[in-house]
Amino acid sequence: MTMGDHELKLLGMWASPFVLRARLALSFKGLSYEYIEEEIFGNKSALLVKSNPVHKKVPVLIHKDKSICESQIIVEYIDEVFSGTGPSLLPADPYERGVARFWAAYIDDKLFSSFMMMIKGKTSEEKAEGRRQSFAVAKTLEGALKRCSKGKSFFGGDNVGFLDIVLGGFVAWVHTRDILSGSKQFDAGKTPLLAAWERFCALDATKAVKPDVEKLVELSKMRQARDDAAAAAVSQSN
Amino acid sequence: MSPPVKLIGFFGSPYAHRAEAALCLKGVPYELMLEDLFNAKSELLLKLNPIHKKVPVLIHGDRAISESLVIAEYVDETFEGPPLLPSDPYDRAMARFWAHFIENKFIKPFFMAHWLEEGEVREAFVKEAKELLPLLEEQLKGKRFFGGDAPGYLDIAASMLAPTRMAVQEVTGVALINDDDYPALSQWAREYISNEALKPCMPDKDQLLAYFMKNKEMYKAGVKAMLQK
């Protein structure tokens, strides 16, 4: 993609749910940008280190010559700067914004940590606990969706909003886990609204940026093999 | 006329203080409802913050908002008064970035370095805190407050480095933030606790010290338990 009138660049990594959030926001707003891929297993690029010296992580949005880091902050920034372009992502009402931010914080805290425990847990008990927690989190988010959507399709109501994008970043990971575990994370029996919310993935703006789940499954298996090998090496040297 | 504002808080909670600071800086009158967390959480708290069951909770008419930084933004956006966040979107993003940094990267090692017993684990947290403190010091360079001439959103986010930290420092004897190493942060803390607008919500120094002295063992046990998780 060439840099358009908006003078936007995004440093990203194709498998990152946080990068996906930034891409979703840009996609739903209809903003053009130059996408620069960071290597997963390679060294961090000079541009990344320069534009995010504190965390050295993607995503980083570069707008003209300013760097904005942290996925949720990037989404809010995009919404504020390009308020005239495309739909508004944050709700208009301050209370609804507070509710959305509350749930966004919850997602980054509880959903993320449960997934990390499920994937990176050192023992099978830990992984099982992660899985259990992820279902508890899904149940809670079901309630949040009911509250925020007020009977409509998305957290943002009729249209996709901030919270849909915050959760949407994780949707590729969710589908990857669905395949690897053999059961759905957002089960239609237990969390019907969330299961239906997955229609988010069928939207054109989502499809334009959502990573290939098959590739994510492959990556997941590759990472697991690396972790297993590293763990085996450690235990053999003890 | 706007419905009344109430805040469910707790003396000694730096998170509850953030919410009070936001209200004070914005000039919003409020009724403070103090929880007795050492006994039992109130029915009201459990009802209004069922997810986390924590203070602070802001009550504005029939609305309830939880999470101290979410409350700060709500207060800024809802009420008339001096702005807490800058108006420029990039400056807003930076304020949110540093608040996030404090919340997710800085607080844990910083307070672990204070409350843990001497040893390797504590030393590792001290080292980590010392790597992060210069970043905050840098943000203050040439400014009285993170927000500029007056305290704002980032000062609110950083507020536990003022009254809370000063009390904890005295109780534990750990002086990570000192005039020699971090002159800007040290001066900022003094400015923060003596700021006129924040007077109504600034915890009494002696009372706060007494609170941490009294509950020292509980905090020490608490951080130890956190490590084992």
Side-chain angles (χ1 to χ4, degrees):
Chain A
M1 261 185 168
T2 55
M3 199 153 71
D5 296 324
H6 309 295
E7 299 166 275
L8 289 167
K9 288 186 196 188
L10 183 73
L11 301 188
M13 198 278 281
W14 67 273
S16 161
F18 304 102
V19 170
L20 181 55
R21 277 181 188 161
R23 299 200 75 175
L24 285 165
L26 291 160
S27 186
F28 278 94
K29 292 287 268 187
L31 295 164
S32 57
Y33 58 101
E34 182 190 344
Y35 178 72
I36 301 168
E37 179 81 20
E38 280 286 311
E39 284 186 34
I40 306 182
F41 299 120
N43 288 324
K44 296 182 192 231
S45 73
L47 182 58
L48 176 59
V49 172
K50 180 180 157 214
S51 56
N52 189 358
V54 175
H55 302 296
K56 304 179 182 64
K57 284 182 176 173
V58 289
V60 181
L61 183 76
I62 304 174
H63 183 208
K64 301 186 187 183
D65 53 8
K66 293 179 169 169
S67 308
I68 300 99
C69 310
E70 303 292 308
S71 62
Q72 290 192 21
I73 295 173
I74 289 171
V75 175
E76 288 215 48
Y77 176 83
I78 289 168
D79 202 35
E80 287 173 13
V81 172
F82 300 102
S83 55
T85 310
S88 276
L89 301 176
L90 272 289
D93 175 70
Y95 179 52
E96 294 303 318
R97 274 208 289 281
V99 172
R101 287 177 181 137
F102 171 87
W103 286 112
Y106 175 85
I107 286 168
D108 269 0
D109 178 11
K110 306 288 187 192
L111 182 66
F112 181 63
S113 62
S114 68
F115 263 64
M116 289 308 285
M117 206 187 288
M118 228 187 344
I119 297 165
K120 293 264 176 190
K122 293 190 186 78
T123 62
S124 57
E125 287 84 20
E126 214 183 314
K127 289 189 193 215
E129 175 60 20
R131 197 162 155 71
R132 195 198 62 77
Q133 281 185 20
S134 75
F135 285 121
V137 167
K139 197 119 201 284
T140 304
L141 286 176
E142 177 83 357
L145 180 52
K146 190 172 181 190
R147 157 64 181 80
C148 295
S149 66
K150 299 179 190 167
K152 306 288 166 92
S153 304
F154 301 107
F155 286 93
D158 279 319
N159 297 311
V160 159
F162 176 69
L163 206 41
D164 298 284
I165 286 172
V166 168
L167 185 60
F170 281 114
V171 87
W173 271 22
V174 166
H175 289 162
T176 307
R177 294 315 306 170
D178 290 350
I179 291 172
L180 288 170
S181 69
S183 69
K184 280 194 70 74
Q185 208 54 49
F186 296 158
D187 176 82
K190 296 178 190 145
T191 52
L193 292 177
L194 272 178
W197 172 85
E198 289 194 41
R199 65 169 70 84
F200 174 82
C201 302
L203 298 171
D204 287 336
T206 307
K207 287 201 288 196
V209 294
K210 191 187 163 208
D212 187 333
V213 175
E214 291 298 321
K215 287 204 181 122
L216 281 172
V217 170
E218 247 179 75
L219 177 64
S220 206
K221 287 179 177 169
M222 200 201 320
R223 275 173 162 164
Q224 189 61 61
R226 271 166 66 117
D227 288 348
D228 289 344
V234 166
S235 65
Q236 272 157 26
S237 63
N238 275 348
Chain B
M1 201 176 96
S2 191
V5 176
K6 300 181 187 184
L7 185 77
I8 307 179
F10 177 71
F11 182 82
S13 161
Y15 299 98
H17 171 75
R18 279 178 177 168
E20 285 199 75
L23 289 163
C24 282
L25 288 172
K26 203 73 183 173
V28 179
Y30 62 98
E31 180 194 333
L32 181 63
M33 299 159 68
L34 288 174
E35 284 286 306
D36 181 10
L37 294 178
F38 288 110
N39 272 323
K41 298 185 182 188
S42 72
E43 289 285 322
L44 188 65
L45 176 61
L46 295 175
K47 180 182 152 206
L48 296 181
N49 189 0
I51 302 298
H52 302 298
K53 305 177 179 62
K54 285 180 176 173
V55 296
V57 179
L58 183 79
I59 306 168
H60 184 204
D62 57 3
R63 304 167 164 183
I65 301 110
S66 308
E67 295 295 291
S68 58
L69 295 178
V70 176
I71 291 171
E73 289 217 47
Y74 174 78
V75 167
D76 198 29
E77 292 171 5
T78 304
F79 300 99
E80 297 290 324
L84 301 180
L85 272 160
S87 52
D88 174 73
Y90 176 69
D91 294 336
R92 292 160 73 83
M94 289 312 289
R96 287 173 178 144
F97 173 85
W98 287 108
H100 201 250
F101 168 84
I102 287 168
E103 200 68 351
N104 293 323
K105 213 162 152 108
F106 180 76
I107 286 178
K108 183 180 166 186
F110 185 72
F111 282 102
M112 285 289 186
H114 283 78
W115 287 114
L116 281 173
E117 298 290 349
E118 290 270 352
E120 256 180 48
V121 178
R122 185 183 161 269
E123 281 316 302
F125 284 119
V126 169
K127 182 168 182 272
E128 199 182 339
K130 284 185 174 177
E131 281 164 10
L132 302 175
L133 276 163
L135 299 174
L136 292 174
E137 179 81 2
E138 181 69 32
Q139 287 306 303
L140 269 175
K141 279 282 151 67
K143 294 191 289 187
R144 212 170 148 208
F145 296 101
F146 289 101
D149 292 323
Y153 175 80
L154 187 48
D155 299 274
I156 291 168
S159 62
M160 62 182 74
L161 296 185
T164 308
R165 183 267 306 175
M166 287 159 126
V168 171
Q169 186 160 315
E170 210 174 316
V171 166
T172 61
V174 175
L176 272 173
I177 293 184
N178 57 73
D179 282 289
D180 291 329
D181 296 326
Y182 307 105
L185 276 169
S186 300
Q187 181 56 24
W188 166 82
R190 286 188 284 266
E191 293 267 14
Y192 184 89
I193 60 171
S194 55
N195 182 264
E196 201 58 39
L198 289 168
K199 240 186 181 155
C201 69
M202 198 58 61
D204 176 84
K205 193 169 181 237
D206 294 323
Q207 265 191 287
L208 196 59
L209 188 58
Y211 167 80
F212 281 112
M213 281 298 286
K214 183 176 176 201
N215 297 299
K216 185 176 174 180
E217 294 314 312
M218 186 200 74
Y219 276 92
K220 290 174 85 144
V223 301
K224 246 178 151 177
M226 264 176 80
L227 273 184
Q228 272 145 22
K229 275 198 184 149

